[in-house]
């Protein structure tokens, strides 16, 4: 089970959270977006082998969303960051 | 044939020491390179040789043959999917299964013991009834079972109405069943190698030779290999390969876990799945109960998942099958599955010319091993998709023609 660092509550068990997949996905301009751009926004998510910026919600805790870097090979957590704040650098 | 004094299960014959000649060093040039030596990669190579006469093929496997999801799945075979497109390709697969052992000349322990899918709530009943009628329209064998009929076929199921998720009914596909996954891979590998296909293990693709939007070969840890056409059949690692070739695919890689019990007397002679309580169970020829669950929630390439997922799955299993209560858990493991947005596969062209992709089988690719290879081989050989895989294009995520099988796929895909 993952031990997830909630930036509001501290580290808690994975069963208190729900996963929100990739972070920092921005809504395209509806007036000008092409079918390809909509497809990218709706369906394409990064799927890296290594560090991944992703969203979690602490649904059985503070019920707030946050972003975090996590390594998809080791399951190690990197820095967390709150929504609409600057994304920390990808850990090495 | 090797001699041995080990006591053997009555059902399992001995197999020869070497089924094919392993090639250690690849040739410099091939007509076709298949990336991925799992079930789908091997069946693709087999049908390229058998149906299309293309035998100058290399199957490149970064690990060992059929050591990925082919070694980690729960071997359920069925074709009772909801939509016409899925019914088409999965039913074609089931028909190929029905003749496969004879065709390739190798035992695969294909056993049509039936696959039952339980319903536990009113909405579940309605969804299952819809699926049952859709199967009837598509000429796929399907039966509707009352709880009493469930009990008749599978006496160990608890149909007591007084539990959290009572059994209210079920669909049943008698032609569904299981096969022995490693024997399936060996059968395809042997038959393909007999026709001249090179199977190269320990060969990892590290890049592509792409010029003017067209693939000319691959870079590997064993050096560059040229090819006219390349097929990517890499399951959970498809995104990594696609990114090496310079494009994105709508795939997320997640852990999917399964487990077996100790060896038990034969008590369960069909396959039972329940999407609602998240478990599916069959009993292997040797006697282990084989169970699978849902995926872990998060992206991962680690081939392991959380134990709480296993606990959840076993809690469900024990409620449905009270006699499993004292069975011991022997082993759990995880594989990395390639989840697509509509729970349907992607088989066809990529933005790179002569580079083809076969991915997105997610939690349910084993049953499709024959048809996946059959349609992928057709696509590579002719340059155009077969009518069965044409709807499963990468482009459907732009056009919006999705094939939403989340309901039929459920947990027990």
């Amino acid at each position: 089970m993952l031990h997830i660092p909630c930036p509001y509550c501290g580290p808690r068990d994975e069963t208190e959270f729900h996963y929100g997949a990739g972070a920092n996905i921005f809504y395209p301009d509806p007036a000008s977006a092409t079918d390809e751009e909509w497809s990218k926004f709706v369906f394409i998510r990064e799927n890296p082998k290594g560090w991944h910026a992703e969203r979690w919600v602490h649904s059985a805790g503070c019920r707030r969303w946050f972003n975090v870097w996590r390594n998809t090979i080791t399951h190690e957590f990197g820095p967390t960051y709150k929504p609409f704040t600057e994304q920390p650098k990808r850990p090495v | 044939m090797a001699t041995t004094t080990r006591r053997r299960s009555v059902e399992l014959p001995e197999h020869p020491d070497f089924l094919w000649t392993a090639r250690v060093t690849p040739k410099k040039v091939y007509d076709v390179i298949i990336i991925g030596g799992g079930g789908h990669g091997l069946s693709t190579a087999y049908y390229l040789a058998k149906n299309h006469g293309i035998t100058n093929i290399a199957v490149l496997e970064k690990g060992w043959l059929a050591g990925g999801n082919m070694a980690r799945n729960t071997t359920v075979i069925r074709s009772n999917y909801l939509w016409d497109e899925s019914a088409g390709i999965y039913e074609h697969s089931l028909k190929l299964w029905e003749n496969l052992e004879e065709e390739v000349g190798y035992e695969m322990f294909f056993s049509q013991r039936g696959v039952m899918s339980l319903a536990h709530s009113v909405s579940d009943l309605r969804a299952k009834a819809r699926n049952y009628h859709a199967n009837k329209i598509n000429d796929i064998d399907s039966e509707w079972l009352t709880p009493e009929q469930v009990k008749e076929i599978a006496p160990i199921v608890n149909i007591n109405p007084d539990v959290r998720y009572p059994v209210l009914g079920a669909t049943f596909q008698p032609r569904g069943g299981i096969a022995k996954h490693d024997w399936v891979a060996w059968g395809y590998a042997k038959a393909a190698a007999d026709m001249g296909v090179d199977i190269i293990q320990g060969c990892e693709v590290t890049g592509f030779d792409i010029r003017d939007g067209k693939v000319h070969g691959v870079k590997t840890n064993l050096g560059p290999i040229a090819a006219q056409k390349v097929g990517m059949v890499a399951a959970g690692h498809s995104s990594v390969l696609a990114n090496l070739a310079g494009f994105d695919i709508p795939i997320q890689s997640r852990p999917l876990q399964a487990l077996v019990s100790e060896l038990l007397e034969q008590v369960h002679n069909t396959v039972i799945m329940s999407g609602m309580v998240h478990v599916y169970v069959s009993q292997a020829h040797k006697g282990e109960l084989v169970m699978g669950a849902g995926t872990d929630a998060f992206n991962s390439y680690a081939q392991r998942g959380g134990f709480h997922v296993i606990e959840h799955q076993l809690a469900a299993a024990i409620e449905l099958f009270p006699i499993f209560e004292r069975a011991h858990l022997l082993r759990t493991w995880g594989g990395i599955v390639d989840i697509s947005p509509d729970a349907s596969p992607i088989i066809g062209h990529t933005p790179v010319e002569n580079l083809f992709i076969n991915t997105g089988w997610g939690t349910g690719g084993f049953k499709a091993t024959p048809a996946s290879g059959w349609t992928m081989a057709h696509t590579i050989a002719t340059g155009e998709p077969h009518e069965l895989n044409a709807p499963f294009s990468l482009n459907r995520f732009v056009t919006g023609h999705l094939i939403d099988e989340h309901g039929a796929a459920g947990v027990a895909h």
Side-chain angles (χ1 to χ4, degrees):
Chain A
M1 184 180 301
L2 302 180
H3 212 45
I4 301 173
C6 173
Y8 305 99
C9 309
R12 299 290 180 88
D13 283 349
E14 179 190 337
T15 45
E16 293 186 14
F17 296 82
H18 279 96
Y19 187 58
N24 297 68
I25 311 289
F26 296 101
Y27 202 77
D29 176 6
S32 64
T34 62
D35 285 355
E36 284 74 17
E37 283 162 347
W38 279 115
S39 172
K40 195 166 166 22
F41 168 72
V42 175
F43 296 120
I44 303 287
R45 295 289 178 272
E46 284 191 18
N47 189 21
K49 189 173 181 177
W51 289 102
H52 183 222
E54 59 193 24
R55 305 165 75 223
W56 289 85
V57 59
H58 194 181
S59 39
C62 64
R63 304 185 62 184
R64 281 185 279 190
W65 283 94
F66 60 93
N67 302 331
V68 65
W69 283 103
R70 184 180 58 88
N71 190 305
T72 61
I73 306 168
T74 63
H75 294 174
E76 177 190 359
F77 280 90
T80 61
Y81 57 106
K82 293 172 186 172
F84 308 110
T85 62
E86 199 183 332
Q87 184 180 43
K89 276 200 182 127
R90 180 187 300 266
V92 188
Chain B
M1 226 179 235
T3 55
T4 171
T5 53
R6 269 186 305 140
R7 197 169 155 235
R8 305 193 67 90
S9 159
V10 282
E11 280 201 67
L12 299 178
E14 292 185 22
H15 52 84
D17 287 343
F18 294 101
L19 294 169
W20 63 90
T21 310
R23 191 178 176 101
V24 180
T25 319
K27 290 191 279 187
K28 295 279 181 224
V29 184
Y30 287 94
D31 291 346
V32 177
I33 287 174
I34 303 296
I35 306 170
H40 291 209
L42 292 167
S43 70
T44 300
Y46 169 76
Y47 291 113
L48 272 170
K50 174 154 187 293
N51 293 356
H52 305 282
I54 299 169
T55 56
N56 187 22
I57 303 172
V59 177
L60 308 181
E61 168 53 52
K62 75 181 165 74
W64 63 94
L65 184 110
N69 295 343
M70 194 61 176
R72 296 157 197 270
N73 70 87
T74 52
T75 79
V76 176
I77 296 168
R78 63 188 178 90
S79 66
N80 52 356
Y81 280 71
L82 178 65
W83 298 106
D84 296 351
E85 296 87 346
S86 318
I89 195 164
Y90 287 107
E91 177 61 17
H92 183 62
S93 204
L94 184 48
K95 290 203 170 94
L96 291 172
W97 277 114
E98 286 174 328
N99 195 35
L100 193 57
E101 291 165 299
E102 200 177 315
E103 184 186 323
V104 303
Y106 198 70
E107 179 79 70
M108 292 172 177
F109 299 93
F110 177 55
S111 161
Q112 290 180 293
R113 56 183 62 187
V115 174
M116 193 187 289
S117 182
L118 304 177
H120 302 279
S121 70
V122 172
S123 65
D124 207 4
L125 275 176
R126 286 177 184 151
K128 293 279 185 317
R130 181 189 182 202
N131 206 97
Y132 159 76
H133 289 295
N135 292 157
K136 285 286 185 199
I137 290 168
N138 279 318
D139 276 337
I140 290 172
D141 60 317
S142 186
E143 292 175 14
W144 183 261
L145 305 180
T146 63
E148 291 70 30
Q149 289 168 320
V150 167
K151 187 88 182 164
E152 220 167 277
I153 294 173
I156 61 169
V157 179
N158 178 15
I159 59 163
N160 186 344
D162 196 22
V163 296
R164 176 65 185 86
Y165 296 108
V167 175
L168 300 181
T171 60
F172 187 57
Q173 183 176 25
R175 286 164 62 240
I178 57 173
K180 263 192 107 51
H181 50 89
D182 40 8
W183 294 67
V184 174
W186 297 337
Y188 270 124
K190 180 183 185 308
D194 285 348
M195 289 186 282
V197 173
D198 282 351
I199 297 166
I200 300 149
Q201 302 178 74
C203 182
E204 180 167 8
V205 170
T206 54
F208 291 87
D209 177 9
I210 295 170
R211 282 168 275 144
D212 301 326
K214 195 169 172 178
V215 74
H216 295 274
V218 298
K219 298 165 191 161
T220 77
N221 60 325
L222 303 178
I225 312 173
Q228 290 170 17
K229 295 176 177 181
V230 178
M232 304 194 294
V233 194
H237 276 72
S238 297
S239 298
V240 175
L241 282 178
N243 290 347
L244 285 175
F247 60 94
D248 290 318
I249 52 173
I251 293 293
Q252 298 280 281
S253 298
R254 303 248 163 90
L256 176 66
Q257 298 184 85
L259 61 93
V260 289
S261 73
E262 62 199 318
L263 304 188
L264 301 167
E265 291 290 321
Q266 292 290 339
V267 291
H268 180 40
N269 197 28
T270 184
V271 182
I272 295 188
M273 33 201 249
S274 165
M276 193 158 183
V277 302
H278 264 230
V279 72
Y280 43 109
V281 188
S282 66
Q283 189 169 17
H285 297 78
K286 276 189 295 181
E288 313 100 303
L289 296 166
V290 183
M291 300 189 207
T295 56
D296 279 54
F298 49 83
N299 290 29
S300 171
Y301 285 84
Q303 293 187 316
R304 62 175 186 271
F307 198 72
H308 63 283
V309 177
I310 299 286
E311 283 183 309
H312 181 66
Q313 168 190 352
L314 287 178
I318 287 167
E319 184 173 274
L320 278 177
F321 307 97
I323 69 163
F324 293 173
E325 194 175 21
R326 294 192 180 189
H328 291 110
L329 181 64
L330 187 67
R331 191 166 71 245
T332 75
W333 64 88
I336 298 305
V337 295
D338 38 348
I339 306 283
S340 73
D342 58 359
S344 286
I346 297 165
I347 320 161
H349 293 286
T350 70
V352 180
E353 204 181 327
N354 289 344
L355 178 61
F356 302 90
I357 193 164
N358 186 345
T359 186
W361 293 97
T363 58
F366 177 74
K367 68 176 79 64
T369 303
S372 169
W374 178 288
T375 55
M376 183 68 170
H378 179 98
T379 309
I380 292 173
T382 65
E384 291 300 327
H386 189 276
E387 61 177 352
L388 289 173
N389 70 306
F392 296 96
S393 70
L394 183 56
N395 198 42
R396 75 178 184 271
F397 298 100
V398 177
T399 64
H401 291 137
L402 304 186
I403 302 158
D404 180 9
E405 285 291 355
H406 287 285
V411 57
H413 196 2

